[in-house]
Amino acid sequence: MSSAALPAPRPLGGRRAAFVWSIGVGVYFVAVIFRTSLGVAGLDAAERFHVNASALSTFSILQLLVYAGMQIPVGLMVDRLGTKKVLVLGTVLFTVGQLGFALSPSYATALGSRALLGCGDAMTFISVLRLGSRWFPAKHGPMIGQVAALFGMAGNLVSTIVIARSLHGIGWTQTFAGSSLAGVVVLVLVLLFLRDHPEGHEPPPAHHAGAAFVRRQIAESWGEPGTRLGMWVHFTTQFPAMVFLLLWGMPFLVEAQGLSRGTAGELLTLVVLSNMVVGLVYGQVIARHHAARLPLALGTVGATALLWAATIAYPGAHAPMWLLVTLCLVLGACGPASMIGFDFSRPANPPERQGTASGITNMGGFIASMTTLLAVGVLLDATGDNYRIAFSSVFFLEALGLAQILRLRARAQRRERDHLVASRVEAVHVPV
């Protein structure tokens, strides 16, 4: 049969694409619930396992260490195995990890459970980005990423509202064990309904040559300035809010600012709500004005640093409520700003390297978060719970990331223009 007689593939997008992609987003939603559940249970965990601030921070540090360390391997897995297989494995791992955390009789077994959870969690977001790129046109890339992150923050909202209340209503074991059932539900949906790509849009067969292929994928992805710029944007923007929501926000607001746990929980919820609103705005702006990527990222870094400094340096014993509210609203922009990193790495790499490049980019913010979580815990123990000193560690990583962004931006922009020109020339010369 001649190629002219073959039926034309369906255009990307539409209801079927939205349905399939929503299943992947549902997996990420549940993963974020499990990931952030410790953020509202930090004080309970310290009491349950009889640990200090440094040991408590180890829970989140280990989880993020595993998450960050898995990003490149997961990217390679997605490029080689496809989205569905990786999401199935990730869902099994983070569900078992959440259930294990519920039943852990000791600090050591609880640590192991969080590591397992982090391993499964690491497989979700890159898979969802890849799924979106397969089912929707490329022009929707920025919005797809922001909407996926929005649903992730909705998972964080479940943690700050449902998990927090459940802990004080039915207790530790019932809360974490009951929440693990959500993992079972999304696993069934993935097995039954998720597909890697629509009919007629099968990717070209990839030729994998073992270790040589892996090294080439990593080297070529890292060699693109856009990948490195994306990683440093993610590094610099994400971690202040991650540190605040994942572990230290609740203790800071209760112990350093003298708020009740209920009021502190409301402020954490405000961060999540702000994130969801800002994410939609950033996605729309970048989709319409590609040049807005870097100004939005740098503006978010500057605003975060300003409000963070104003809060911890406030001369009174406690910062006023209006300042804490403003800080939480600004922290809500950190997650959407970190998604801009993928808008630099995505156009810099061909489809067969998207998973690997996304993995490199996604490492950035989690490495920064892990480092800051450790620094805050150590400094709190060393200074007798002086949050002003401990929270000042944020500025060192922001300065490092900002320097790298400014160093790479011109090179990445030139390279992106070259890619765009080359793709247009290639399109013109494709035979009809």
Side-chain angles (χ1 to χ4, degrees), residues 236 240 297-314 319 322-324 326-328 330-331 334 391 394-395 398-399 402:
T236 314
L298 294 177
T300 302
V301 172
T304 302
L306 178 64
L307 268 298
W308 196 275
T311 301
I312 65 174
Y314 192 79
W322 67 264
L323 183 56
L324 295 175
T326 307
L327 171 66
C328 290
V330 171
L331 286 176
C334 291
F391 271 30
V394 165
F395 302 119
E398 284 192 322
L402 185 59

Side-chain angles (χ1 to χ4, degrees), residues 69-352:
M70 285 291 294
Q71 289 308 293
I72 292 179
V74 168
L76 291 165
M77 288 171 63
V78 171
D79 286 338
R80 182 167 187 173
L81 302 177
T83 300
K84 183 170 183 174
K85 292 178 181 178
V86 176
L87 279 179
V88 167
L89 178 58
T91 304
V92 170
L93 290 176
F94 69 60
T95 301
V96 172
Q98 184 78 342
L99 180 61
F101 194 57
L103 304 176
S104 292
S106 66
Y107 176 68
T109 54
L111 275 179
S113 297
R114 295 306 286 187
L116 196 63
L117 193 158
C119 186
D121 182 19
M123 299 181 180
T124 59
F125 189 66
I126 293 176
S127 297
V128 171
L129 290 180
R130 174 62 172 265
L131 193 66
S133 70
R134 291 295 188 192
W135 281 89
F136 292 94
K139 65 181 181 180
H140 296 317
M143 198 63 202
I144 286 172
Q146 292 290 356
V147 171
L150 184 150
F151 278 94
M153 291 310 296
N156 201 327
L157 191 62
V158 171
S159 291
T160 57
I161 297 176
V162 179
I163 299 291
R165 292 181 179 177
S166 181
L167 276 169
H168 301 290
I170 61 176
W172 178 281
T173 301
Q174 291 83 352
T175 294
F176 284 101
S179 66
S180 66
L181 293 175
V184 177
V185 172
V186 293
L187 176 61
V188 171
L189 291 174
V190 169
L191 290 171
L192 292 179
F193 301 113
L194 192 133
R195 300 290 180 270
D196 285 338
H197 49 75
E199 295 82 357
H201 292 275
E202 292 78 4
H207 301 286
H208 304 288
F213 166 78
V214 171
R215 287 194 297 269
R216 186 171 63 253
Q217 282 284 94
I218 296 173
E220 291 178 355
S221 297
W222 181 257
E224 290 290 346
T227 303
R228 300 198 301 278
L229 177 61
M231 187 198 74
W232 284 109
V233 168
H234 199 271
F235 177 101
T236 314
T237 53
Q238 187 204 49
F239 78 97
M242 178 70 74
V243 168
F244 201 78
L245 287 171
L246 199 59
L247 184 61
W248 291 121
M250 179 71 78
F252 168 73
L253 294 171
V254 173
E255 296 175 354
Q257 299 301 319
L259 302 179
S260 67
R261 289 181 65 140
T263 303
E266 290 172 357
L267 286 175
L268 294 180
T269 302
L270 183 61
V271 177
V272 177
L273 293 174
S274 172
N275 184 298
M276 297 170 74
V277 173
V278 174
L280 290 175
V281 173
Y282 277 18
Q284 292 284 356
V285 170
I286 294 171
R288 290 181 170 89
H289 308 285
H290 209 50
R293 293 173 300 172
L294 201 58
L296 285 177
L298 294 177
T300 302
V301 172
T304 302
L306 178 64
L307 268 298
W308 196 275
T311 301
I312 65 174
Y314 192 79
H318 304 306
M321 181 57 70
W322 67 264
L323 183 56
L324 295 175
V325 168
T326 307
L327 171 66
C328 290
L329 289 172
V330 171
L331 286 176
C334 291
S338 72
M339 294 301 303
I340 297 173
F342 297 100
D343 294 322
F344 285 107
S345 65
R346 188 185 302 110
N349 292 273
E352 62 269 18

